[in-house]
């Protein structure tokens, strides 16, 4: 299996964590988003959207969209589970993950920021305010949702799809200079995740294509 | 079961179609987005994100995020299927649905358009260009992906999660004045869907809260 990613992409980071949690051996390939490699003809044959990640499975099928890839991994490699066993809890875990994957991350994607800076000629301060607004709106809602819950992770004794989406989103929030210290419940889960090799080995700064 | 929706919300429209396809009896309740009811304390107790839809299941659990609701429906009411039976095809169907649900729709949501018009003081022409850009980018990629495929629906002889996301997105595209005539493959699936009562009865203009 081959994962084509980019060290700082939230969506690629999610799939790295999921592959590590499930212990799936894979090759890492890279698409340099800052250099625009996602727009190349070659990459678009693999991923017509020109986004990362792309997972090429053992049969050579190209899978895209991080959450669809994670659902596929869950179906084909069911252990360890990344979704709760109870159907209602599965719905709640998926919904919280989608609050990040649909309602925070796509608004702060590189292509959207490029549109704000380029086509809409927004100054950097306005772009930073945009990023801060959508990340804070989303994290506040998640913090409120889980504030009263006990334990470290959100649904199980081990991390699942929500932690897989949250850790990269918090990384991205800090990178954009957003104060995340008030999200105590979210940070508790992040701290617990940070102790696990699956998360440590998926961190952007330890990827082979990371640039310091 | 109760579905709280809004006639013109793409996400609520998706869940209406899914409930109809599965023949699930439910009550319809409404949250008037134009009147700002999604920001009320009462609604936020049901849906802390202040978005529609919210599905309240028979046990009174509040489920949010349209695709998470649809996955839950699929698990609890498996017939008729809304996802292919083969795991790779399931991944491809989910990915295509997420191209709409993550990479088109959230960028053109009412709250985002309000931010562009309000905080960023963008003129209406720039807002329309923004909408057109993201919808066209997404639909072009989907059209290219499926252009060579035969049949009416995309993965099965009956519609599933992709058609459930596509039909509301095409409705929304036309509402914003976007020319969709070049997406011949997508329109073929839409035409086939439009013949089914499940889609007809979910259409925005026949909802009890529709305003002409």
């Amino acid at each position: 299996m081959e994962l084509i990613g980019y060290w700082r992409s939230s969506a690629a980071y999610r799939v790295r964590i999921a592959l590590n949690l499930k212990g799936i051996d894979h090759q890492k390939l890279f698409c340099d988003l800052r250099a625009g490699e996602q727009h190349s003809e070659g990459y678009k044959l693999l991923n017509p959207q020109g986004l990362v990640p792309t997972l090429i499975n053992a049969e050579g099928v190209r899978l895209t969209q991080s959450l669809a890839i994670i659902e596929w991994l869950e179906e084909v490699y069911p252990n360890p589970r990344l979704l709760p066993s109870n159907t209602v809890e599965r719905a709640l875990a998926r919904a919280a993950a989608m609050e990040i994957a649909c309602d925070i991350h796509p608004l702060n994607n590189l292509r959207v920021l490029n549109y704000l800076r380029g086509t809409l000629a927004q100054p950097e301060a306005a772009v930073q305010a945009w990023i801060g607004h959508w990340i804070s709106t989303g994290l506040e809602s998640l913090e409120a949702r889980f504030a009263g819950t006990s334990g470290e992770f959100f649904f199980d004794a081990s991390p699942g799809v929500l932690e897989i989406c949250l850790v990269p989103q918090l990384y991205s929030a800090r990178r954009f200079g957003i104060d995340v210290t008030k999200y105590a419940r979210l940070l508790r889960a992040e701290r617990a995740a940070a102790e696990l090799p699956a998360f440590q080995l998926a961190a952007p700064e330890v990827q082979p294509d990371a640039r310091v």
Side-chain angles (χ1 to χ4, degrees), chain A residues 11 22 26 32 34 41 84 93-94 103 122 126 135 145 174 194:
Chain A
K22 288 189 178 281
H26 63 283
D32 189 340
R34 287 284 161 185
E41 288 302 309
R94 283 187 175 112
D103 293 332
Q122 291 298 303
I135 293 182
R145 159 80 181 80
R174 288 194 192 91

Side-chain angles (χ1 to χ4, degrees), chain A residues 8-25:
Chain A
R8 274 187 156 169
S9 154
S10 269
Y13 189 177
R14 291 175 201 148
V15 176
R16 289 197 298 266
I17 300 168
L19 287 166
N20 291 347
L21 283 170
K22 288 189 178 281
I24 298 170
D25 194 37

Side-chain angles (χ1 to χ4, degrees), chain A residues 73 118 135 137 177 196 206:
Chain A
L73 290 172
I135 293 182
T137 299
L196 304 176
V206 301

